């Protein structure tokens, strides 16, 4: 029967062989953490390789994602659909084993990791989801939601600022089923970390409100087991297990050094490592008895079957709750959602009001929130400005998991990556808010949501120089353009309360990626629409006003639609035929077929002016090089909003002048 060390060595040899064959990669972390992984995966982790999506599985996150061969080895050895051919194709085109773990490639990879610190933050989100979901669905004697979130992380994750944001909040929220393993090997790419990382990490996490298990020998299986037992027994706090390891353990000449961090060991060193580990087998050759001891399919299937029996009993006792749980796990919306949400939108159109779109957003939340028990909202310390609290909002706390709203504090980046973790867990629709300017702090988490195609909803208010007196530090200029350039991110900048509600409706219904909702501080006039125009809003761009065959087209978004309608009236008074196109979502408009786009922006009409209080360069794709843009080319200034709009040319007179100058 293989020893624990031999079972861990299977991870080591697969990792060093795959990196060597790829001629790139990071063998050090997988080799150093192999013993910890062997204990966790074989003795504790509840999972089923035959069904990676089992609802009550434990979640495992490799936050130090550069060590991806660790998780690929674990998945392969445990019996997931990741054959040895995929291990051999590590880092190759179209393999299931890319350089960093990518969600949706290999079964069993719970999230995309690589940008350091985001994996542990996703894990915080998953633990939040588990805690809240357990409160909502578990009943006495029926614990159908009862799983842990385990996370491996390294020094790099701890140095990244996002880990401070997320782990601080995790302690505050008392996430007792979150267990993190710190790979304390003292090495990063540049060498020994003592030259640039001297934090007392244990004290830091204790100050966050975590339980900390110190000085665990990461190569001693019994010490690792004792630490995990201690962590699982602490139900009121998340736990950090501090594991002392040797990076590249098993490599006799490169272990303990940055030489094995991010480069292949080399053929000679791999041969020496095989001798050191007493591994007599060739490259990618794992003995049958080691495969047998690793394989978790039978045990995992039995665990899921046992849970299924519990769920059947739960369903018999609480049929409505069981049906609701199944609906939310599938990501389906309530049966009456489409009818009720559309009725609300049609009611808004029939009863014009002129609120700021941030207020229209809150009104939409009050209408949609009661329909959606899966809402999990939040704001980064700006709830009173973002207006993301709705009448049914309740704060989630350490002692009360019944809440559906997270007060994230000033943690924009942490909030956004936590939202991604909540979305990945399933069972909730997460939304979170800040000022549009401060999405800059969160940009990489927004990108990760788009990369993973997760339906996080990012709410951004105070969307332009219309913010006013707070000045250019708070006035977004280039943000919308950069967000629109992000693949798979759908962005909305609505012009009134109707477009705002439709934007929320679209975001809630979207299942294949994130949405940003960009709202104004200032009130906006509601526009008149026919039933056809109302239906076309969700196409991203539509004809709002038109005089037969137009000679001039004005294209606008958000607060500039009202302004463009006023400019159109002035141009019509001059005898011009004008079309006004409202384009609340350029992303959705670009996704329409050619015929629809031509019907909105006929190619024969070359006199076009785009109007938006954002960076002007983006809009030339719609107006052409011969068109004109009323936009921003500089940062803003500190002054009242009306003065700023006049100063930067967002006036009827300037739009009309630009239109009349077109050849």
């Amino acid at each position: 029967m293989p020893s624990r060390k031999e079972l861990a060595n299977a991870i080591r040899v697969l990792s060093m062989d795959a990196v060597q064959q790829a001629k790139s990669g990071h063998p050090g972390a997988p080799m150093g953490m192999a013993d910890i992984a062997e204990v966790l995966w074989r003795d504790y982790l509840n999972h089923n390789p035959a069904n990676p999506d089992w609802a009550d599985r434990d979640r495992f996150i490799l936050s130090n994602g550069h060590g991806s061969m660790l998780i690929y080895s674990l998945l392969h050895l445990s019996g997931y659909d990741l054959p040895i051919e995929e291990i051999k194709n590590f880092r190759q085109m179209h393999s299931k084993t890319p350089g960093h773990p990518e969600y949706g490639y290999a079964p069993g990879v719970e999230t995309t990791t690589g940008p350091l610190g985001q994996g542990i933050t996703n894990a915080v989100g998953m633990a939040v989801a588990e805690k809240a979901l357990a409160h909502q669905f578990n009943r006495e004697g029926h614990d159908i939601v009862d799983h842990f979130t385990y996370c491996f992380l390294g020094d790099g994750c701890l140095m990244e600022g996002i880990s401070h944001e997320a782990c601080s909040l995790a302690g505050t929220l008392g996430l007792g089923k979150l267990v993190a393993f710190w790979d304390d090997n003292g090495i990063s790419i540049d060498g020994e970390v003592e030259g640039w990382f001297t934090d007392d990490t244990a004290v830091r996490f204790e100050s966050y409100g975590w339980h900390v298990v110190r000085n665990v020998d990461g190569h001693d299986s019994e010490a690792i087991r004792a630490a995990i037992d201690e962590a699982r027994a602490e139900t009121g706090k998340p736990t950090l297990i501090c594991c002392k390891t040797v990076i590249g353990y098993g490599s006799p000449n490169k272990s303990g050094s940055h030489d094995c961090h991010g480069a292949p060991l080399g053929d000679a060193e791999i041969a020496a490592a095989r001798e050191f580990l007493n591994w007599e087998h060739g490259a990618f050759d794992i003995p049958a008895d080691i495969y047998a001891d690793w394989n978790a399919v039978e045990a995992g299937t039995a665990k899921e079957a046992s849970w299924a029996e519990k769920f059947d009993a739960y369903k018999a006792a609480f049929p409505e709750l069981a049906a609701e749980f199944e609906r939310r796990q599938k990501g389906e919306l309530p049966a009456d959602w489409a009818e009720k949400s559309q009725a609300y939108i049609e009611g808004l159109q029939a009863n014009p009001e002129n609120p700021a779109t941030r207020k229209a957003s809150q009104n939409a939340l009050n209408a949609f929130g009661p329909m959606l028990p899966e809402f999990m909202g939040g704001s980064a310390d700006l709830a009173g400005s973002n207006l993301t609290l709705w009448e049914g909002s309740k704060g989630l706390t350490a002692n009360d998991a019944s809440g559906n709203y997270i007060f994230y504090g000033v943690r924009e980046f942490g909030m956004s990556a936590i939202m991604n973790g909540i979305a990945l867990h399933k069972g909730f629709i997460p939304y979170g808010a800040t000022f549009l300017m401060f999405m800059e702090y969160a940009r990489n988490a927004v990108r990760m949501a788009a990369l993973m195609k997760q339906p996080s909803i990012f709410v951004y208010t105070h969307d332009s120089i219309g913010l006013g007196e707070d000045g250019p530090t708070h006035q977004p200029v280039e943000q919308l353009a950069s967000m629109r350039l992000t693949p798979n991110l759908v962005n909305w900048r609505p012009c009134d309360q109707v477009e705002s509600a439709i934007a929320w409706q679209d975001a809630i219904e979207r299942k294949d990626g994130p949405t940003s909702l960009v709202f104004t501080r200032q009130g906006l006039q509601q526009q008149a629409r026919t039933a056809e125009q109302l239906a076309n809003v969700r196409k991203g761009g539509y004809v709002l006003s038109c005089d037969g065959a137009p000679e001039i087209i004005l294209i606008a978004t958000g607060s500039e639609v009202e302004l463009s309608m006023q400019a159109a009236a002035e141009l019509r008074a001059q005898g011009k035929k004008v079309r006004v196109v409202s384009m609340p979502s350029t992303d959705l408009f670009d996704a329409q077929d050619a015929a629809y786009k031509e019907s909105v922006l006929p190619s024969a009409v070359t006199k076009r002016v785009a109007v938006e209080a954002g960076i002007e360069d983006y809009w030339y794709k719609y107006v052409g090089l011969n068109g004109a843009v009323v936009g921003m080319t500089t940062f803003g200034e500190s002054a009242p909003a009306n003065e700023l709009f006049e100063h930067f040319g967002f006036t009827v007179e300037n739009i009309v002048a630009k239109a009349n100058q077109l050849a």
Side-chain angles (χ1 to χ4, degrees):
M1 183 175 181
S3 67
R4 283 195 177 275
K5 191 61 72 176
E6 288 173 312
L7 293 165
N9 286 345
I11 297 171
R12 295 186 170 99
V13 296
L14 283 175
S15 298
M16 65 185 187
D17 287 345
V19 170
Q20 184 65 27
Q21 179 146 307
K23 298 182 173 59
S24 71
H26 299 75
M31 296 175 75
M33 298 193 81
D35 297 302
I36 307 167
E38 184 273 327
V39 173
L40 176 64
W41 276 61
R42 292 186 64 253
D43 293 1
Y44 294 94
L45 195 72
N46 284 321
H47 64 123
N48 183 7
N51 179 18
D53 295 325
W54 169 29
D56 201 40
R57 68 191 181 279
D58 290 337
R59 272 60 170 181
F60 174 78
I61 309 301
L62 183 68
S63 189
N64 44 344
H66 54 273
S68 56
M69 269 311 304
L70 175 62
I71 193 168
Y72 297 149
S73 299
L74 289 164
L75 295 170
H76 169 70
L77 293 167
S78 297
Y80 285 79
D81 183 17
L82 196 69
I84 195 66
E85 288 74 22
E86 295 291 349
I87 304 299
K88 293 178 180 178
N89 284 329
F90 177 55
R91 288 184 165 230
Q92 305 309 300
M93 182 71 78
H94 303 312
S95 75
K96 293 182 180 180
T97 50
H100 291 84
E102 301 280 357
Y103 179 78
Y105 285 61
V109 172
E110 300 282 2
T111 182
T112 298
T113 55
L116 294 176
Q118 288 201 61
I120 178 61
T121 309
N122 294 162
V124 171
M126 293 179 187
V128 166
E130 192 276 342
K131 181 171 184 169
L133 207 65
H135 179 89
Q136 291 181 15
F137 287 99
N138 288 353
R139 295 296 182 267
E140 186 174 354
H142 297 273
D143 291 338
I144 62 163
V145 180
D146 184 14
H147 53 266
F148 282 83
T149 301
Y150 297 104
C151 181
F152 283 7
L153 70 160
D155 294 321
C157 293
L158 293 174
M159 283 186 266
E160 285 287 0
I162 189 174
S163 73
H164 296 255
E165 296 182 25
C167 294
S168 168
L169 188 60
T172 298
L173 294 178
L175 303 179
K177 289 186 177 176
L178 173 61
V179 180
F181 298 78
W182 170 30
D183 182 24
D184 181 14
N185 59 38
I187 297 293
S188 67
I189 291 175
D190 283 351
E192 296 181 4
V193 300
E194 62 185 12
W196 47 87
F197 183 51
T198 57
D199 303 13
D200 190 330
T201 297
V203 170
R204 167 186 157 190
F205 274 75
E206 286 171 345
S207 76
Y208 290 158
W210 286 54
H211 176 66
V212 177
V213 185
R214 300 169 180 245
N215 298 318
V216 176
D217 183 343
H219 303 296
D220 181 336
S221 298
E222 291 308 309
I224 297 163
R225 280 185 57 85
I228 297 174
D229 286 340
E230 183 177 334
R232 287 165 59 93
E234 174 52 74
T235 59
K237 298 179 179 181
T239 295
L240 178 71
I241 301 176
C242 303
C243 300
K244 284 287 185 182
T245 66
V246 176
I247 191 171
Y249 180 94
S251 169
N253 301 303
K254 295 186 176 182
S255 63
S257 163
H258 70 280
D259 290 339
C260 66
H261 181 282
L265 296 179
D267 291 333
E269 186 64 13
I270 286 177
R274 277 185 154 77
E275 183 176 353
F276 178 86
L277 296 171
N278 294 316
W279 191 269
E280 300 175 351
H281 316 285
F284 302 105
D285 182 11
I286 304 296
D289 59 343
I290 288 181
Y291 269 130
D293 271 23
W294 263 110
N295 193 288
V297 173
E298 183 177 349
T301 300
K303 288 175 182 177
E304 183 176 357
S306 176
W307 178 84
E309 288 182 7
K310 289 169 59 178
F311 190 77
D312 286 342
Y314 178 80
K315 184 183 291 189
F318 308 100
E320 292 183 1
L321 275 175
E324 177 72 0
F325 180 81
E326 291 175 321
R327 175 186 74 78
R328 287 169 57 174
Q329 287 298 310
K330 293 175 184 175
E332 297 174 350
L333 291 170
D336 59 356
W337 160 258
E339 179 183 355
K340 286 185 175 180
S341 63
Q342 191 60 30
Y344 172 71
I345 289 165
E346 291 173 0
L348 290 178
Q349 188 65 59
N351 297 279
E353 293 185 9
N354 305 321
T357 53
R358 61 172 175 158
K359 179 59 179 175
S361 167
Q362 186 180 51
N363 293 342
L365 284 170
N366 278 319
F368 296 157
M371 307 179 202
L372 299 169
E374 57 263 54
F375 256 171
M376 182 61 74
S379 177
D381 202 49
L382 288 167
S385 295
N386 299 143
L387 303 183
T388 43
L389 283 166
W390 58 281
E391 291 169 359
S393 293
K394 179 182 178 182
L396 181 76
T397 69
N399 298 319
D400 187 354
S402 65
N404 60 359
Y405 192 92
I406 301 171
F407 290 92
Y408 284 101
V410 188
R411 300 182 178 98
E412 297 90 353
F413 193 5
M415 172 184 74
S416 302
I418 287 170
M419 287 165 56
N420 292 343
I422 293 171
L424 286 158
H425 182 279
K426 295 185 172 48
F428 293 98
I429 297 174
Y431 70 86
T434 185
F435 286 0
L436 177 57
M437 186 66 249
F438 302 133
M439 69 77 56
E440 292 286 0
Y441 286 129
R443 180 179 296 276
N444 200 257
V446 177
R447 183 179 187 271
M448 295 298 284
L451 186 65
M452 293 189 286
K453 301 180 179 179
Q454 290 304 298
S456 298
I457 301 175
F458 302 105
V459 179
Y460 299 126
T461 66
H462 298 63
D463 67 340
S464 72
I465 57 171
L467 175 63
E469 292 86 346
D470 277 342
T473 60
H474 284 52
Q475 293 166 3
V477 172
E478 73 277 24
Q479 283 64 40
L480 267 169
S482 66
M483 289 158 62
R484 288 167 176 154
L485 294 174
T486 302
N488 205 45
L489 175 64
V490 168
N491 304 280
W492 284 84
R493 187 175 184 244
C495 77
D496 63 10
Q497 67 168 352
V498 175
E499 285 189 358
S500 298
I502 292 172
W504 265 109
Q505 181 190 49
D506 189 78
I508 288 164
E509 293 180 9
R510 188 174 188 219
K511 302 304 176 190
D512 60 352
T515 302
S516 82
L517 305 177
V518 180
F519 298 123
T520 63
R521 180 190 189 190
Q522 66 272 33
L524 302 181
Q525 181 179 351
Q526 180 166 319
Q527 302 299 320
R529 294 176 185 84
T530 65
E532 182 181 3
Q533 288 171 322
L534 191 66
N536 284 339
V537 172
R538 287 190 68 170
K539 294 180 179 178
Y542 64 101
V543 178
L544 181 62
S545 173
C546 190
D547 304 318
E551 55 185 296
I552 299 171
I553 299 176
L554 305 181
I555 311 168
T557 79
S559 51
E560 288 71 70
V561 170
E562 178 181 338
L563 186 64
S564 297
M565 289 290 283
Q566 295 168 359
E570 179 65 26
L571 287 165
R572 286 168 181 148
Q574 298 176 7
K576 307 291 197 310
K577 291 183 178 180
V578 185
R579 169 175 290 187
V580 178
V581 172
S582 177
M583 197 175 286
S585 176
T586 62
D587 309 283
L588 292 179
F589 180 75
D590 290 348
Q592 302 306 310
D593 60 39
Y596 179 77
K597 287 187 281 189
E598 176 68 17
S599 74
V600 176
L601 298 175
S603 53
V605 184
T606 58
K607 293 183 178 181
R608 303 180 182 183
V609 182
V611 188
E612 184 178 63
I615 203 74
E616 86 170 28
D617 282 0
Y618 176 82
W619 285 98
Y620 285 102
K621 66 185 286 190
Y622 299 106
V623 302
L625 295 178
N626 294 322
V629 180
V630 178
M632 296 293 293
T633 59
T634 68
F635 295 117
E637 295 285 350
S638 178
N642 59 334
E643 294 181 23
L644 289 168
F645 278 118
E646 183 175 359
H647 174 76
F648 287 104
F650 295 96
T651 64
V652 170
E653 293 76 17
N654 190 40
I655 297 170
V656 169
K658 292 270 191 181
N660 284 328
Q661 289 167 8
L662 297 176

